[in-house]
């Protein structure tokens, strides 16, 4: 099997080397994410993912409003569980980047292929999403998933639909994604995501490919920014960037 070296794993291993070398001891507070990012010349989201990796290996713990503290030292030999995490899991922001690039173009294509029955289905899904939020069922993302996959299905291309199913499956089984969400206490952001979904549907209804592409891109940008803010142990108002908000000219294509 091909082994993929992910950047957050490289930074995580660098931090583990510092723990092994005695630079940080149990009980010590690690430097702020911003400082670690500058030291290794990476984005703060990569550092966030590296710290989540160390959390899953029970090496650090995150204290909201305080920082990241060392609670264990790495063994020379990784457990089978830790090996599996490093080999198979994906960083949550890495996954969002892939979704943003892929789904914005799927939405544009769906705008040219969508039919009335697709619109009816999407409206019904949004109504289900509203009901879930009204009932305050915080751990139910089923309607969110259905909405995105239904857009891929509207392209009438089974490969694109399968691709979206695969991306959501990766999110579902990801221990990294689960650890990120475990830090979140304020779920009011989901109402903003519902509004984003409504904007996407509006563009699809009028078959505006450029508007659909941009609405989907902005939605996933909002998801990324929200997750960065609500999962930040140091500064909840930090507006981190995984990459430029519009790194390619998606609006005028």
């Amino acid at each position: 099997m091909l082994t993929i070296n992910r950047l957050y794993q490289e930074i995580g291993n660098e931090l583990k080397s510092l723990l092994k070398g005695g630079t940080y001891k149990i009980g010590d507070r690690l430097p702020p994410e911003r400082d670690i990012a500058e030291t290794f010349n990476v984005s703060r989201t990569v550092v966030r993912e590296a710290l989540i990796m160390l959390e899953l290996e029970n090496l650090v713990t995150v204290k909201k409003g305080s920082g990241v503290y060392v609670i264990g030292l790495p063994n020379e030999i990784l457990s089978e569980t830790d090996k599996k995490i490093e080999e198979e899991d994906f960083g949550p922001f890495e996954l969002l980047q892939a979704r943003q690039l892929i789904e914005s173009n799927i939405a544009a294509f769906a705008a040219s292929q969508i039919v009335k029955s697709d619109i009816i289905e999407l409206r019904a899904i949004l109504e289900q999403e509203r009901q879930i939020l009204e009932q305050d069922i915080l751990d139910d993302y089923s309607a969110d998933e259905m909405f995105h996959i239904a857009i891929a299905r509207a392209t009438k291309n089974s490969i694109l639909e399968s691709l979206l199913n695969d991306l959501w499956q990766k999110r579902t089984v990801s221990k990294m994604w689960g650890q990120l969400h475990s830090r979140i206490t304020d779920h009011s952001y989901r109402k903003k995501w519902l509004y984003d979904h409504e904007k996407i549907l509006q563009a699809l209804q009028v078959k505006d490919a450029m508007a659909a592409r941009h609405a989907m891109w902005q939605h996933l940008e909002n998801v990324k920014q929200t997750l960065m803010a609500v999962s930040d142990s140091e500064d909840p108002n930090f507006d981190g960037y995984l990459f430029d908000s519009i790194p390619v000219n998606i609006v005028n294509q």
Side-chain angles (χ1 to χ4, degrees):
M1 179 183 295
L2 177 64
T3 300
I4 300 175
N5 293 320
R6 300 185 175 91
L7 186 54
Y8 79 83
Q9 292 173 346
E10 295 178 13
I11 302 305
N13 288 331
E14 291 283 353
L15 292 173
K16 285 198 288 185
S17 294
L18 294 176
L19 297 181
K20 288 179 183 178
T23 302
Y24 302 106
K25 299 177 177 61
I26 292 177
D28 286 352
R29 180 182 183 274
L30 292 183
E33 285 180 1
R34 190 187 305 277
D35 293 351
I36 298 174
E38 290 177 356
T39 298
F40 294 108
N41 193 29
V42 295
S43 70
R44 193 168 170 183
T45 48
V46 171
V47 174
R48 181 75 54 85
E49 291 174 333
L51 293 174
I52 292 172
M53 183 183 101
L54 297 190
E55 277 188 277
L56 289 170
E57 294 182 22
N58 295 314
L59 300 178
V60 302
T61 186
V62 176
K63 297 182 180 180
K64 188 73 174 177
S66 179
V68 180
Y69 291 82
V70 179
I71 59 171
L73 299 177
N75 296 319
E76 291 298 323
I77 301 176
L78 284 178
S79 68
E80 290 302 315
T81 299
D82 291 339
K83 283 182 181 178
K84 189 172 183 180
I85 290 172
E86 288 202 5
E87 291 173 0
E88 297 182 4
D89 212 346
F90 293 83
F93 296 102
E94 181 184 24
L95 184 59
L96 276 173
Q97 183 182 49
R99 285 186 57 198
Q100 192 173 36
L101 292 167
I102 293 168
E103 289 196 58
S104 59
N105 287 290
I106 284 178
F109 184 45
S112 68
Q113 304 295 314
I114 203 161
V115 296
K116 184 177 180 180
S117 59
D118 298 321
I119 297 296
I120 292 172
E121 179 185 13
L122 287 167
R123 286 175 179 167
I125 292 171
L126 284 190
E127 181 56 36
Q128 183 176 339
E129 190 174 356
R130 288 188 195 94
Q131 291 176 7
I132 288 172
L133 294 181
E134 287 173 1
Q135 295 170 23
D136 207 27
I137 307 175
L138 301 180
D139 60 347
D140 188 346
Y141 290 87
S142 58
D144 185 12
E145 178 179 355
M146 285 190 292
F147 180 80
H148 286 268
I149 292 175
I151 292 173
R153 186 160 54 250
T155 66
K156 312 301 184 286
N157 184 308
S158 62
I159 301 297
L160 293 177
E161 182 181 354
S162 176
L163 178 60
L164 254 292
N165 271 304
D166 183 58
L167 287 173
W168 274 89
Q169 179 62 19
K170 281 180 168 57
R171 175 191 186 279
T172 300
V173 303
S174 171
K175 292 184 180 298
M176 294 274 291
W177 188 275
Q179 189 68 27
L180 174 67
H181 272 256
S182 71
R183 301 185 191 175
I184 299 172
T185 57
D186 181 2
H187 290 80
S188 60
Y189 64 87
R190 293 186 61 181
K191 293 180 181 178
K192 298 177 183 176
W193 293 0
L194 174 59
Y195 174 76
D196 287 349
H197 286 177
E198 292 170 344
K199 295 285 287 185
I200 295 167
L201 180 54
Q202 288 170 11
L204 292 172
Q205 285 178 151
V206 296
K207 290 182 172 289
D208 188 331
M210 287 191 293
R213 179 188 284 115
H214 188 268
M216 180 64 79
W217 183 278
Q218 190 58 53
H219 167 51
L220 292 171
E221 178 70 13
N222 293 342
V223 171
K224 181 254 292 184
Q225 296 285 359
T226 298
L227 291 181
M228 273 296 292
V230 299
S231 68
D232 192 349
S233 63
E234 300 161 9
D235 181 7
N237 297 314
F238 174 75
D239 56 346
Y241 289 90
L242 177 59
F243 43 91
D244 292 340
S245 294
I246 309 289
V248 291
N249 187 0
I250 64 165
V251 178
N252 298 318
Q253 291 179 350

